[in-house]
Amino acid sequence: MTSHTSLDLEARNILKQNDRGGYTIPTAGLYPYQWNWDSAFAAMGFAQFDIARAWQELETLFSGQWSDGMVPHILFHQPDPGYFPGPDVWGCEGPIPSSGISQPPVAATMARLILQKDPEAGRAAMGRLFPKMRAWHKWFMDWRLDRGAVCVTHPWESGRDNAPEWDGAMARIDPSDVGEYTRRDTSHVDGSMRPTKYDYDRYIWLVQLGRRLHWDQAAMLEENPFRVADPTMTFTLLRAHRDLMVMGELLGLDTKGMAQEIFLLEKGAQTLWNEELGSYDARDAKTGEWAGCISSASFLCWLAGLPSDRQAEHLERILDATNFGVPSHDPASDRFDPKRYWRGPTWAVVNMLIGLGLEDAGHPLGKRVRELTRELITRFGFAEYFDPMTGEAAGGKSFTWTAAVWLGWASPARGRT
Ligand code: GLC
């Protein structure tokens, strides 16, 4: 057995071990529930060996969709006392106990990859998912646009929890009335790799605010001080909407209005271009201030169909400055921290999204990103994330989305070398 076939086997086993029957947890202990974008990647991973299970993963995720179209970032299918903040803290009333915020909408993009593998096998499931995905995308467009760019209302919503992009908006929150709580994440992994108490107090304060407002989007729009237009959300939604429209056409479904929505999101994405930085950047929708960050999310522009030569120059510079990119934050910045979560480490899932976009655009850096992700996983395993300088594995182990990215994109078995 060559080394990649044994890694393929290990990756399948990780998905199977993290399978809780219809949905997959990111990793036991640290993340014991169904997470939104993790699940979309898991589905793509399952599609490499079990197409029916792949569609089931997505259908379970959408079974938690709220009546307003929102698909929560966590579905608490089974109680687990080892996790905080659990359903009692969020206080939500969706069809399944859940969090009250969403996460980057990559589900349609992953669904398209799954459908391409076996169009006949996916026809019925995708027919059921299409209106649900459309309603979710519409929810973002109804409630989250600022000049056409998609905003996050909590750092967790971006999927990049403690990224430096949120520092400015977080500093404006006074969490002195947050009260006592016990974190659980630091009992599973080393605290030096996790967000700080300063961040955590503000995360919980924002959850308490949403709960007090019954997660009513109109009220949150008024009262929530945290509203940041985010490249992750904007680029993933733009790409997902394009993918959804293609699938709708293929399946003969009603795609009326989608082309205009794509046009609006394209315009919105351009409002995230920070000319002084020469990069896509996050923008505080409350103050209009730039975050001043070149992050891995800046490089999702190709995924969204918006190539940029200046962005490519930054990517090349950053890949040259690291051994195992793409780091979540620019190593040239004084806020770069190679071990702390979204302030420096490399994440295989973001690499896949960046690489997919570059490869679709025929850009040579796509192959480089895929090959370094392959090397990273081959040498350091299926960790949650990695130090971009040394490659050292960090965070949770036996991680679902890293295994899925291996199976669906980074493994040599995928054909492209
Ligand atoms: C962390 C990550 C988030 C992910 C979740 C589960 O909160 O920041 O992106 O979805 O873990 O893996």
Side-chain angles (χ1 to χ4, degrees), residues 205-254:
W205 186 89
L206 284 168
V207 172
Q208 291 170 347
L209 173 76
R211 184 189 181 136
R212 181 160 58 74
L213 300 176
H214 304 285
W215 302 104
D216 176 80
Q217 294 303 319
M220 303 251 297
L221 198 53
E222 289 281 307
E223 284 201 43
N224 186 346
F226 189 97
R227 192 171 175 86
V228 184
D230 169 27
T232 342
M233 279 293 182
T234 306
F235 291 142
T236 54
L237 183 63
L238 177 48
R239 169 59 181 247
H241 216 50
R242 293 189 200 279
D243 288 329
L244 192 59
M245 186 168 153
V246 170
M247 288 188 287
E249 283 166 354
L250 194 80
L251 299 174
L253 303 169
D254 182 8

Side-chain angles (χ1 to χ4, degrees), residues 26 31 35 37-38 103 159-161 341-342 347 384 399 401:
Y31 300 116
W35 260 259
W37 71 328
D38 298 67
Q103 250 190 340
R160 298 182 299 123
D161 306 12
Y341 221 39
W342 292 97
W347 295 70
E384 184 179 7
F399 224 84
W401 64 11

Side-chain angles (χ1 to χ4, degrees), residues 4 101 131 320 358:
H4 85 256
I101 56 173
D320 288 346
L358 287 163

